[in-house]
Amino acid sequence: MLEPRIQQQFIDSADLKYQWAQSLSRPVADAAQALLACVTGGGKVLACGNGASGALAQYMAALMLGGLERTRPELPALALGADAAALTAVARRGEYADTFAAQVRALGAAGDVLLLLSSNGNAVNLVRAAQAAHERDMVIVALTGHGGGELGHLLRDTDVHVCVAHESTPRIYEAHQLVLHSLCDSLDQQLLGEEESPA
């Protein structure tokens, strides 16, 4: 019977989110403040990740441009992995691990935020992107899993680390999506004020 196994997936996800609510609320609030300072200061958000994390990076860029639940002006965001031509142009030069870093060097500037998403924090192309962001005096917001990996060690005091300390990759992705929703909601609240309750 599949139903009990499916039910357990829902229960495990809900339990872990409940457990993480307190421990992640401070770093997520710090990440929201970093994003707010970026977009109100004329900066942009560059987001990247590999695989499912890359899809979440594209999702975040879409939410910043199009909004989550409330109508608001578009916020400048770009998912670096979404342009296959740009990725392959850099990879053609001989170093796939430099694909995101090359885009950060070309597009990033002081005042911008690099949003990195990684389930384990060890992907070489993301580590190099983080190094490139530091060269550009950008703030990094890193969403990781497990123990944060190499990215966690690379971050500076001015960066923000939201680490979902779990070994299950699906649970990490689920938490990262919830963090993205929380970031967008926090931006909306800070930019637009509290939403009026329906009469």
Side-chain angles (χ1 to χ4, degrees):
M1 297 280 291
L2 286 176
E3 286 88 347
R5 185 176 180 89
I6 292 168
Q7 290 171 12
Q8 193 62 48
Q9 292 280 329
F10 278 83
I11 292 166
D12 290 348
S13 181
D15 285 348
L16 288 168
K17 287 174 185 171
Y18 184 79
Q19 291 173 30
W20 290 325
Q22 187 169 4
S23 63
L24 293 182
S25 61
R26 170 49 46 201
V28 173
D30 291 343
Q33 289 301 320
L35 293 178
L36 180 69
C38 170
V39 299
T40 57
K44 60 190 171 297
V45 176
L46 304 178
C48 61
N50 296 311
S53 293
L56 287 174
Q58 291 182 47
Y59 180 58
M60 182 59 171
L63 290 177
M64 290 192 68
L65 289 168
L68 180 63
E69 292 184 296
R70 300 170 68 181
T71 301
R72 58 151 168 75
E74 299 83 2
L75 301 177
L78 177 66
L80 299 180
D83 185 345
L87 286 176
T88 55
V90 175
R92 184 176 53 107
R93 296 190 323 206
E95 190 64 53
Y96 177 79
D98 212 31
T99 51
F100 292 138
Q103 292 178 82
V104 170
R105 288 192 295 268
L107 302 171
D112 292 345
V113 167
L114 177 63
L115 175 64
L116 295 170
L117 296 104
S118 175
S119 61
N120 62 30
N122 290 318
V124 175
N125 60 344
L126 297 179
V127 169
R128 289 193 184 177
Q131 292 166 337
H134 283 156
E135 291 167 9
R136 291 286 188 266
D137 292 323
M138 296 169 63
V139 170
I140 297 172
V141 173
L143 275 59
T144 67
H146 299 275
E150 184 64 26
L151 282 175
H153 297 297
L154 188 67
L155 298 177
R156 298 175 176 171
D157 291 341
T158 52
D159 299 324
V160 182
H161 190 195
V162 180
C163 182
V164 178
H166 201 269
E167 299 302 312
S168 169
T169 301
R171 298 292 89 84
I172 293 167
Y173 290 146
E174 291 163 7
H176 283 181
Q177 185 176 32
L178 181 56
V179 167
L180 298 180
H181 289 162
S182 297
L183 291 174
C184 288
D185 177 71
S186 297
L187 282 171
D188 288 352
Q189 191 273 330
Q190 292 176 96
L191 292 170
L192 304 174
E194 293 290 341
E195 194 169 17
E196 293 182 12
S197 300

